[in-house]
Amino acid sequence: MTGRRPTAEIAAAVVLAAAAIAVLPRVLELFALINATVYASMAVLALSLGLVWGFGGILCFGQAAFFGLGGYGYAVAALNVADTTWAVPIALAVPAAAAALLGYVMFYGRISDVYMGVITLTVTLILFNFTNSTAGDQWRIGAAPLGGFNGIPSTPPLNLPGDPGNPLPPERIFAVAVVCLAACYILGKLVLRSRFGRVVVAIRENERRAELLGYDVRRYKLGIFTLGGFMGGLAGLLFANCVFVSPTMFSLFYSGQIIIWVMVGGLGTLAGPIIGAVLLQALTTWAGTLPAVNPSLILGAVLVAAVLALPKGLLPTAAAALRRLRRRDAAP
Amino acid sequence: MTALLSTEELCMYFGGVRAVDRVNLAVAEGELRCLIGPNGAGKSTFFRCLTGQYRPTAGRIRWRGRDITGADSFAIARLGIGIKTQVPSLFEGLTVVESVILAQRRRHGEADARRRAMAVLERLGIAGLAARVVAQLAHGQRQLVELAMVVAPAPDLILLDEPTAGMSVEETGRAATLIRELNRAHALVVVEHDMQFIKAIASTVTVFHQGRVLVEDSVARVLADPRVHDVYLGRSIAMPGTEGG
């Protein structure tokens, strides 16, 4: 928590988002643009955990659950109500409500941190197994077949609000993803600047002291966890618009990957997880093109190297190096 | 007149161990009460019952006559009870002034909270530490920062658990002066076992022994009481209401 106003960071986010929307669709080919949209959705997902873990102090191993629920929520709603204008709020409400319910059970049940990690991961894997077992025509919600292992490949893309006959092209979907990422970053900044955010950080620092000062820590933890669930769901919705939803969204691979993005980018920052997600996702994509190399192996090696060489993560390490350079330049 | 804080037959058992056993205590508005006793006497457990850390096995805790037995710590704090723990409990990564602002901002806006926080820090003589990160502070400074956080919301009653723990003789002397000064505005309950400190703050003293109240009187009388000498020296004595020692 600093006394600095976040205006500069917010302005930078707006400028970067505007530049990305203006430039990238012109210079990238369609496949690369879709990949960039995937990166943006992953960045939103990383940001959601960065907020919950880095500032709320809640190590959630199951952020992928909200990601998957957002994706499935969108796909199912979009297939049932032809206009995606109504699918969006449904897709966001489902993971937020799931996070609120899960958070209520954990925080009001005074579950300890270790068990919280176990519970969140277990819930995610239950959802993974459940969605995997939904093959067959009997597994459908209205007009939407859940599709088992194959997921829902026929997810309709977002359309212009109120105009179902006008689906957005990939360039517009990319713009929506970038706007959502910038909006989530700005929302995170504003939340952390608010009284609620300051109390959340104080609770991370010392939960007992916060209680002794009269703060009901359960309420604050529930609030930040639900916000994280909402953002995770938004990431799932964006992902569903550029790839398709499948049980993989709930997988252990994703659950672990999100944690690695946040750790490598920098815990306790908002921009760090975004950087970590984009860099590592790009690395994973590149590694996937190499013959006889397992991308997970590379991701694991990067994590080990980052923990050993940059224990605070990329962004805090770079910021500290910059501060040292400035001090050295300022010295007579 | 209704006591500010009172307990009625308060008990806290851990299995067969009676850490607190039928304790009746009443603290009046503006009073400075010391709870003393040798190690294992039950005073810290009693303190934790008062602060909501433990839910008493039996008995009642009342705040201005209202039953608050088993209430959560945050609810107890909201009543107007400030709590200082034995080992300073602080927001390590925050600055001193941010910590004090957080301590009081339930009632004030940001600018007002900062001004009030600085006033509290000046009152405790640590305004110079305002911009320092808590984790960088020395033990004595940490004790004062925690006290500043406790005092900041202007509680009616302050509960202090061994406020001089880990302090030098000089720091203890300053703490005694500070506590007397705090008592002008707040009622205080101080759990302590340093007799020199108790003498320095001169108040009504409740002596705990084996989870029960052995004696309650002025500091001079308590210090002259041979039973108090005995329990501090580890001698067996007959407790009121029990058979034999």
Side-chain angles (χ1 to χ4, degrees), chain A residues 48-73:
Chain A
S48 73
L49 185 66
L51 201 60
V52 169
W53 184 22
F55 293 93
I58 305 160
L59 178 50
C60 173
F61 276 103
Q63 204 64 15
F66 310 123
F67 177 63
L69 284 174
Y72 269 88

Side-chain angles (χ1 to χ4, degrees), chain A residues 1-3 110 195 198-199 201-203 205-206 208-216 218-220, chain B residues 51 53 72-74 77-78 83-85 89-94 98 102-103 105-106 110 146 149-150:
Chain A
M1 197 165 81
T2 67
R110 300 272 185 192
R195 178 180 171 276
R198 290 170 182 217
V199 176
V201 172
I203 291 169
E205 293 293 318
N206 189 334
R208 178 82 189 129
R209 173 40 71 193
E211 269 202 314
L212 293 179
L213 291 177
Y215 294 110
D216 183 353
R218 300 168 301 184
R219 200 153 58 87
Y220 288 90
Chain B
T51 60
Q53 211 170 335
D72 288 312
S73 293
F74 72 86
R78 283 179 189 177
I83 300 158
K84 189 192 170 311
T85 51
S89 174
L90 301 164
F91 301 130
E92 299 293 334
L94 306 192
E98 282 168 346
L102 270 168
R105 49 181 313 183
R106 296 194 66 78
E110 168 120 22
E146 193 187 28
M149 290 167 74
V150 170

Side-chain angles (χ1 to χ4, degrees), chain A:
Chain A
M1 197 165 81
T2 67
R4 217 153 37 105
R5 292 200 173 279
T7 323
E9 287 101 327
I10 290 174
V14 171
V15 169
L16 282 173
I21 293 167
V23 175
L24 292 183
R26 293 173 200 273
V27 298
L28 294 180
E29 288 176 6
L30 182 61
F31 176 73
L33 193 66
I34 291 172
N35 253 347
T37 313
V38 174
Y39 294 176
S41 74
M42 297 299 174
V44 173
L45 182 56
L47 185 62
S48 73
L49 185 66
L51 201 60
V52 169
W53 184 22
F55 293 93
I58 305 160
L59 178 50
C60 173
F61 276 103
Q63 204 64 15
F66 310 123
F67 177 63
L69 284 174
Y72 269 88
Y74 173 77
V76 169
L79 285 168
N80 279 289
V81 290
D83 187 351
T84 60
T85 313
W86 301 109
V88 171
I90 293 170
L92 297 177
V94 169
L101 183 66
L102 185 61
Y104 182 83
V105 171
M106 292 193 302
F107 305 129
Y108 282 77
R110 300 272 185 192
I111 303 285
S112 70
D113 290 349
V114 176
Y115 287 109
M116 228 176 268
V118 173
I119 289 170
T120 50
L121 183 61
T122 306
V123 166
T124 313
L125 295 180
I126 288 171
L127 288 169
F128 175 68
N129 279 329
F130 170 71
T131 47
N132 252 325
S133 62
T134 54
D137 212 36
Q138 71 276 27
W139 289 102
R140 54 171 53 243
I141 301 174
L146 295 179
F149 179 77
N150 295 317
I152 309 173
S154 55
T155 307
L158 287 166
N159 56 250
L160 281 175
D163 187 3
N166 210 339
L168 298 182
E171 298 79 20
R172 292 283 192 85
I173 299 280
F174 169 73
V176 169
V178 171
V179 167
C180 287
L181 175 58
C184 285
Y185 176 80
I186 292 167
L187 179 64
K189 279 281 170 197
L190 295 177
V191 165
L192 292 173
R193 184 73 198 164
S194 70
R195 178 180 171 276
F196 169 81
R198 290 170 182 217
V199 176
V200 165
V201 172
I203 291 169
R204 177 196 69 187
E205 293 293 318
N206 189 334
E207 191 170 325
R208 178 82 189 129
R209 173 40 71 193
E211 269 202 314
L212 293 179
L213 291 177
Y215 294 110
D216 183 353
V217 300
R218 300 168 301 184
R219 200 153 58 87
Y220 288 90
K221 283 180 149 187
L222 181 60
I224 199 73
F225 191 72
T226 305
L227 180 61
F230 169 84
M231 284 190 187
L234 176 62
L237 181 157
L238 296 171
F239 186 81
N241 268 277
C242 48
V243 189
F244 66 91
V245 299
S246 74
T248 320
M249 293 176 83
F250 297 108
S251 67
L252 190 59
F253 177 75
Y254 264 118
S255 299
Q257 198 169 234
I258 309 165
I259 290 172
I260 296 172
W261 293 336
V262 176
M263 281 176 77
V264 171
L267 192 62
T269 66
L270 287 181
I274 296 174
I275 294 168
V278 172
L279 286 182
L280 293 182
Q281 192 58 29
L283 181 72
T284 312
T285 309
W286 170 77
T289 63
L290 299 177
V293 174
N294 185 339
S296 302
L297 207 62
I298 292 187
L299 206 59
V302 167
L303 175 66
V304 172
V307 167
L308 292 175
L310 311 167
K312 289 186 174 172
L314 282 171
L315 191 65
T317 307
L322 203 64
R323 275 198 299 274
R324 273 199 303 275
L325 272 177
R326 277 186 188 152
R327 269 203 300 272
R328 205 170 61 185
D329 289 348

